[in-house]
Amino acid sequence: MTNNIVLISMVKNESDIIESFVRHHIDMVDAMLIVNHNSVDSTGKILELLKEEGFNLFIFNENLVEYEQSLIMTRLLYQAINDFNADIVIPLDADEFLVPSKDINDCRQLLETIDTDAIYRVDSFNYFQTHAAAVPVAFSLDAIKLKSRTRQNAGKIIVGRDIVTKFKVGLAMGN
C-alpha cells in the first residue's frame, strides 16, 4: 500500500521562489496545501496561475495581522489529514526543497513507503538566489550561480497520520 502524501506550507512574499517550490515538489506529493499570508508581491498570482495549469494545489488566504505560523500550520496539518486523507504530511517553507541523497534518488518512492506511525527528521537546506539577475532567470536548484545551499541546524520533519491522531500533535515555529 502506498501513502497519500500532502505537502503543507505557509508563504509570504515568496514571488522569487514560489514557482520553483511548487514545480519541484508537485510530482512527489498527491496534493499541496499552501496558505498565502498577507503577501503584497505577486506570490498569490503565481500560485493561482500554477493552479490553473492543473496542479493539485489548494490555496488559502490568511489575513491575520500577527504571524501565527504555529497556529496556521497546525490547522493545515489537521486539514491535510482530515480533509485530504493524508498518510504522510510534509511541512516546508517555500525556500526549503526535498532533494534526493546519494542513497535515495527518488523522494516520492521513499515517501510512499514510510511508516505512518512515526515522525522523521530530515536534513534541511535553504535555497535562494544569491544575487538578482539583470534578466530574470528561472530558478533552478542545479544552477550553481543561482543557489546558496545552507544547512539548517534543526532540520525539518515529516509526520505520519497515526502520530498526529494518537498524540494530537501540533507544529511549532519553523515546523
Side-chain angles (χ1 to χ4, degrees), residues 26-51:
I26 200 68
D27 291 332
M28 291 181 209
V29 300
D30 296 296
M32 294 179 78
L33 312 181
I34 299 180
V35 169
N36 184 12
H37 183 257
N38 289 325
S39 290
V40 295
D41 66 0
S42 59
T43 298
K45 180 66 175 168
I46 294 167
L47 287 170
E48 290 297 333
L49 290 170
L50 290 166
K51 184 175 180 176

Side-chain angles (χ1 to χ4, degrees), residues 5-24:
I5 306 158
V6 177
L7 186 149
I8 61 174
S9 188
M10 180 176 156
V11 302
K12 182 173 184 172
N13 297 331
E14 304 281 1
S15 62
D16 61 333
I17 200 164
I18 193 67
E19 182 176 0
S20 294
F21 175 77
V22 170
R23 289 186 187 282
H24 178 80

Side-chain angles (χ1 to χ4, degrees), residues 60-78:
F60 307 94
N61 291 304
E62 182 57 66
N63 297 316
L64 283 174
V65 175
E66 59 276 350
Y67 188 76
E68 293 283 351
Q69 184 183 31
S70 178
L71 173 75
I72 293 167
M73 289 298 288
T74 297
R75 186 174 66 218
L76 265 185
L77 171 68
Y78 283 90

Side-chain angles (χ1 to χ4, degrees), residues 59-129:
I59 307 160
F60 307 94
N61 291 304
E62 182 57 66
N63 297 316
L64 283 174
V65 175
E66 59 276 350
Y67 188 76
E68 293 283 351
Q69 184 183 31
S70 178
L71 173 75
I72 293 167
M73 289 298 288
T74 297
R75 186 174 66 218
L76 265 185
L77 171 68
Y78 283 90
Q79 187 171 10
I81 290 170
N82 296 326
D83 298 343
F84 291 83
N85 200 31
D87 296 308
I88 300 297
V89 179
I90 307 167
L92 290 177
D93 294 336
D95 62 351
E96 297 167 331
F97 291 76
L98 290 179
V99 293
S101 70
K102 63 181 179 181
D103 301 324
I104 301 161
N105 61 7
D106 185 346
C107 293
R108 171 71 194 209
Q109 184 177 16
L110 174 67
L111 293 168
E112 286 178 345
T113 62
I114 63 175
D115 188 357
T116 60
D117 196 16
I119 296 175
Y120 298 87
R121 190 190 78 70
V122 295
D123 286 338
S124 176
F125 297 90
N126 292 102
Y127 287 85
F128 53 91
Q129 293 184 344

Side-chain angles (χ1 to χ4, degrees), residues 130-150:
T130 57
H131 65 286
V135 177
V137 177
F139 183 90
S140 168
L141 297 179
D142 296 322
I144 294 171
K145 292 182 180 177
L146 295 178
K147 84 174 175 183
S148 177
R149 188 176 190 217
T150 307

